[in-house]
PDB file of all heavy atoms in Angstrom:
ATOM      1  N   ARG B   5       6.943 -24.778  19.225  1.00 78.00           N
ATOM      2  CA  ARG B   5       6.532 -23.928  20.337  1.00 78.00           C
ATOM      3  C   ARG B   5       5.079 -24.198  20.688  1.00 78.00           C
ATOM      4  O   ARG B   5       4.286 -24.610  19.858  1.00 78.00           O
ATOM      5  CB  ARG B   5       6.705 -22.458  19.933  1.00 78.00           C
ATOM      6  CG  ARG B   5       7.284 -21.613  21.026  1.00 78.00           C
ATOM      7  CD  ARG B   5       7.690 -20.260  20.497  1.00 78.00           C
ATOM      8  NE  ARG B   5       6.622 -19.584  19.803  1.00 78.00           N
ATOM      9  CZ  ARG B   5       6.785 -18.934  18.658  1.00 78.00           C
ATOM     10  NH1 ARG B   5       7.950 -18.905  18.089  1.00 78.00           N
ATOM     11  NH2 ARG B   5       5.779 -18.351  18.090  1.00 78.00           N
ATOM     12  N   ALA B  36       5.571  -6.563  15.960  1.00 97.00           N
ATOM     13  CA  ALA B  36       5.047  -7.303  17.100  1.00 97.00           C
ATOM     14  C   ALA B  36       4.879  -6.374  18.300  1.00 97.00           C
ATOM     15  O   ALA B  36       3.844  -6.397  18.979  1.00 97.00           O
ATOM     16  CB  ALA B  36       5.987  -8.463  17.441  1.00 97.00           C
ATOM     17  N   ARG B  37       5.891  -5.540  18.531  1.00 97.00           N
ATOM     18  CA  ARG B  37       5.820  -4.614  19.657  1.00 97.00           C
ATOM     19  C   ARG B  37       4.655  -3.647  19.496  1.00 97.00           C
ATOM     20  O   ARG B  37       3.925  -3.352  20.450  1.00 97.00           O
ATOM     21  CB  ARG B  37       7.141  -3.829  19.764  1.00 97.00           C
ATOM     22  CG  ARG B  37       8.309  -4.628  20.333  1.00 97.00           C
ATOM     23  CD  ARG B  37       9.620  -3.861  20.115  1.00 97.00           C
ATOM     24  NE  ARG B  37      10.691  -4.249  21.023  1.00 97.00           N
ATOM     25  CZ  ARG B  37      11.676  -5.095  20.710  1.00 97.00           C
ATOM     26  NH1 ARG B  37      11.705  -5.654  19.522  1.00 97.00           N
ATOM     27  NH2 ARG B  37      12.622  -5.377  21.596  1.00 97.00           N
ATOM     28  N   TYR B  47       4.447  -7.670  24.322  1.00 96.00           N
ATOM     29  CA  TYR B  47       4.569  -8.140  22.949  1.00 96.00           C
ATOM     30  C   TYR B  47       4.955  -9.609  22.842  1.00 96.00           C
ATOM     31  O   TYR B  47       4.682 -10.266  21.839  1.00 96.00           O
ATOM     32  CB  TYR B  47       5.542  -7.253  22.152  1.00 96.00           C
ATOM     33  CG  TYR B  47       6.991  -7.569  22.345  1.00 96.00           C
ATOM     34  CD1 TYR B  47       7.636  -8.479  21.518  1.00 96.00           C
ATOM     35  CD2 TYR B  47       7.726  -6.961  23.340  1.00 96.00           C
ATOM     36  CE1 TYR B  47       8.970  -8.767  21.675  1.00 96.00           C
ATOM     37  CE2 TYR B  47       9.070  -7.238  23.515  1.00 96.00           C
ATOM     38  CZ  TYR B  47       9.684  -8.148  22.675  1.00 96.00           C
ATOM     39  OH  TYR B  47      10.999  -8.428  22.844  1.00 96.00           O
TER      40      TYR B  47
ATOM     41  P    DT D  10      12.493   2.682  20.527  1.00 66.35           P
ATOM     42  OP1  DT D  10      11.408   3.632  20.270  1.00 66.35           O
ATOM     43  OP2  DT D  10      12.687   2.059  21.861  1.00 66.35           O
ATOM     44  O5'  DT D  10      12.348   1.493  19.473  1.00 66.35           O
ATOM     45  C5'  DT D  10      12.298   1.790  18.092  1.00 66.35           C
ATOM     46  C4'  DT D  10      12.492   0.526  17.300  1.00 66.35           C
ATOM     47  O4'  DT D  10      13.797  -0.025  17.565  1.00 66.35           O
ATOM     48  C3'  DT D  10      11.497  -0.582  17.678  1.00 66.35           C
ATOM     49  O3'  DT D  10      10.613  -0.721  16.595  1.00 66.35           O
ATOM     50  C2'  DT D  10      12.382  -1.819  17.896  1.00 66.35           C
ATOM     51  C1'  DT D  10      13.715  -1.403  17.316  1.00 66.35           C
ATOM     52  N1   DT D  10      14.922  -2.052  17.902  1.00 66.35           N
ATOM     53  C2   DT D  10      15.645  -2.937  17.144  1.00 66.35           C
ATOM     54  O2   DT D  10      15.340  -3.257  16.018  1.00 66.35           O
ATOM     55  N3   DT D  10      16.743  -3.466  17.771  1.00 66.35           N
ATOM     56  C4   DT D  10      17.199  -3.186  19.057  1.00 66.35           C
ATOM     57  O4   DT D  10      18.212  -3.723  19.499  1.00 66.35           O
ATOM     58  C5   DT D  10      16.397  -2.239  19.790  1.00 66.35           C
ATOM     59  C7   DT D  10      16.782  -1.876  21.196  1.00 66.35           C
ATOM     60  C6   DT D  10      15.307  -1.728  19.190  1.00 66.35           C
ATOM     61  P    DG D  11       9.515  -1.912  16.536  1.00 66.35           P
ATOM     62  OP1  DG D  11       8.447  -1.460  15.619  1.00 66.35           O
ATOM     63  OP2  DG D  11       9.195  -2.300  17.917  1.00 66.35           O
ATOM     64  O5'  DG D  11      10.290  -3.119  15.841  1.00 66.35           O
ATOM     65  C5'  DG D  11      10.458  -3.112  14.430  1.00 66.35           C
ATOM     66  C4'  DG D  11      11.095  -4.418  13.984  1.00 66.35           C
ATOM     67  O4'  DG D  11      12.473  -4.446  14.413  1.00 66.35           O
ATOM     68  C3'  DG D  11      10.478  -5.659  14.622  1.00 66.35           C
ATOM     69  O3'  DG D  11       9.380  -6.107  13.848  1.00 66.35           O
ATOM     70  C2'  DG D  11      11.633  -6.651  14.538  1.00 66.35           C
ATOM     71  C1'  DG D  11      12.867  -5.765  14.693  1.00 66.35           C
ATOM     72  N9   DG D  11      13.426  -5.780  16.039  1.00 66.35           N
ATOM     73  C8   DG D  11      13.089  -4.955  17.083  1.00 66.35           C
ATOM     74  N7   DG D  11      13.775  -5.173  18.160  1.00 66.35           N
ATOM     75  C5   DG D  11      14.620  -6.209  17.815  1.00 66.35           C
ATOM     76  C6   DG D  11      15.597  -6.880  18.576  1.00 66.35           C
ATOM     77  O6   DG D  11      15.931  -6.677  19.748  1.00 66.35           O
ATOM     78  N1   DG D  11      16.221  -7.888  17.835  1.00 66.35           N
ATOM     79  C2   DG D  11      15.945  -8.203  16.534  1.00 66.35           C
ATOM     80  N2   DG D  11      16.628  -9.191  15.986  1.00 66.35           N
ATOM     81  N3   DG D  11      15.037  -7.575  15.817  1.00 66.35           N
ATOM     82  C4   DG D  11      14.418  -6.601  16.511  1.00 66.35           C
ATOM     83  P    DT D  12       8.369  -7.161  14.450  1.00 66.35           P
ATOM     84  OP1  DT D  12       7.201  -7.182  13.540  1.00 66.35           O
ATOM     85  OP2  DT D  12       8.202  -6.844  15.877  1.00 66.35           O
ATOM     86  O5'  DT D  12       9.134  -8.555  14.337  1.00 66.35           O
ATOM     87  C5'  DT D  12       9.623  -9.001  13.077  1.00 66.35           C
ATOM     88  C4'  DT D  12      10.402 -10.287  13.284  1.00 66.35           C
ATOM     89  O4'  DT D  12      11.493 -10.048  14.209  1.00 66.35           O
ATOM     90  C3'  DT D  12       9.577 -11.425  13.871  1.00 66.35           C
ATOM     91  O3'  DT D  12       9.872 -12.618  13.154  1.00 66.35           O
ATOM     92  C2'  DT D  12      10.045 -11.513  15.326  1.00 66.35           C
ATOM     93  C1'  DT D  12      11.492 -11.038  15.231  1.00 66.35           C
ATOM     94  N1   DT D  12      12.020 -10.405  16.472  1.00 66.35           N
ATOM     95  C2   DT D  12      13.172 -10.886  17.058  1.00 66.35           C
ATOM     96  O2   DT D  12      13.810 -11.822  16.611  1.00 66.35           O
ATOM     97  N3   DT D  12      13.556 -10.234  18.205  1.00 66.35           N
ATOM     98  C4   DT D  12      12.911  -9.162  18.804  1.00 66.35           C
ATOM     99  O4   DT D  12      13.342  -8.654  19.831  1.00 66.35           O
ATOM    100  C5   DT D  12      11.715  -8.713  18.131  1.00 66.35           C
ATOM    101  C7   DT D  12      10.942  -7.552  18.688  1.00 66.35           C
ATOM    102  C6   DT D  12      11.324  -9.340  17.014  1.00 66.35           C
ATOM    103  P    DA D  13       8.946 -13.918  13.394  1.00 66.35           P
ATOM    104  OP1  DA D  13       9.110 -14.803  12.233  1.00 66.35           O
ATOM    105  OP2  DA D  13       7.608 -13.505  13.823  1.00 66.35           O
ATOM    106  O5'  DA D  13       9.677 -14.586  14.632  1.00 66.35           O
ATOM    107  C5'  DA D  13      11.038 -14.970  14.460  1.00 66.35           C
ATOM    108  C4'  DA D  13      11.639 -15.350  15.785  1.00 66.35           C
ATOM    109  O4'  DA D  13      11.731 -14.196  16.649  1.00 66.35           O
ATOM    110  C3'  DA D  13      10.844 -16.374  16.605  1.00 66.35           C
ATOM    111  O3'  DA D  13      11.477 -17.640  16.428  1.00 66.35           O
ATOM    112  C2'  DA D  13      10.937 -15.864  18.049  1.00 66.35           C
ATOM    113  C1'  DA D  13      11.930 -14.707  17.950  1.00 66.35           C
ATOM    114  N9   DA D  13      11.725 -13.615  18.896  1.00 66.35           N
ATOM    115  C8   DA D  13      10.716 -12.701  18.909  1.00 66.35           C
ATOM    116  N7   DA D  13      10.794 -11.835  19.904  1.00 66.35           N
ATOM    117  C5   DA D  13      11.933 -12.216  20.590  1.00 66.35           C
ATOM    118  C6   DA D  13      12.570 -11.714  21.732  1.00 66.35           C
ATOM    119  N6   DA D  13      12.122 -10.656  22.427  1.00 66.35           N
ATOM    120  N1   DA D  13      13.702 -12.342  22.152  1.00 66.35           N
ATOM    121  C2   DA D  13      14.147 -13.399  21.453  1.00 66.35           C
ATOM    122  N3   DA D  13      13.646 -13.961  20.364  1.00 66.35           N
ATOM    123  C4   DA D  13      12.521 -13.317  19.975  1.00 66.35           C
ATOM    124  P    DT D  14      10.863 -18.949  17.101  1.00 66.35           P
ATOM    125  OP1  DT D  14      11.261 -20.070  16.242  1.00 66.35           O
ATOM    126  OP2  DT D  14       9.461 -18.727  17.450  1.00 66.35           O
ATOM    127  O5'  DT D  14      11.713 -19.038  18.432  1.00 66.35           O
ATOM    128  C5'  DT D  14      13.131 -18.962  18.343  1.00 66.35           C
ATOM    129  C4'  DT D  14      13.742 -19.009  19.719  1.00 66.35           C
ATOM    130  O4'  DT D  14      13.501 -17.756  20.402  1.00 66.35           O
ATOM    131  C3'  DT D  14      13.188 -20.103  20.654  1.00 66.35           C
ATOM    132  O3'  DT D  14      14.279 -20.877  21.113  1.00 66.35           O
ATOM    133  C2'  DT D  14      12.500 -19.327  21.778  1.00 66.35           C
ATOM    134  C1'  DT D  14      13.274 -18.014  21.762  1.00 66.35           C
ATOM    135  N1   DT D  14      12.536 -16.838  22.307  1.00 66.35           N
ATOM    136  C2   DT D  14      13.092 -16.139  23.354  1.00 66.35           C
ATOM    137  O2   DT D  14      14.150 -16.438  23.861  1.00 66.35           O
ATOM    138  N3   DT D  14      12.345 -15.078  23.784  1.00 66.35           N
ATOM    139  C4   DT D  14      11.122 -14.653  23.278  1.00 66.35           C
ATOM    140  O4   DT D  14      10.549 -13.673  23.748  1.00 66.35           O
ATOM    141  C5   DT D  14      10.613 -15.429  22.192  1.00 66.35           C
ATOM    142  C7   DT D  14       9.300 -15.061  21.573  1.00 66.35           C
ATOM    143  C6   DT D  14      11.326 -16.482  21.760  1.00 66.35           C
TER     144       DT D  14
END
Side-chain angles (χ1 to χ4, degrees):
Chain B
R5 222 169 54 223
R37 285 168 158 99
Y47 82 91

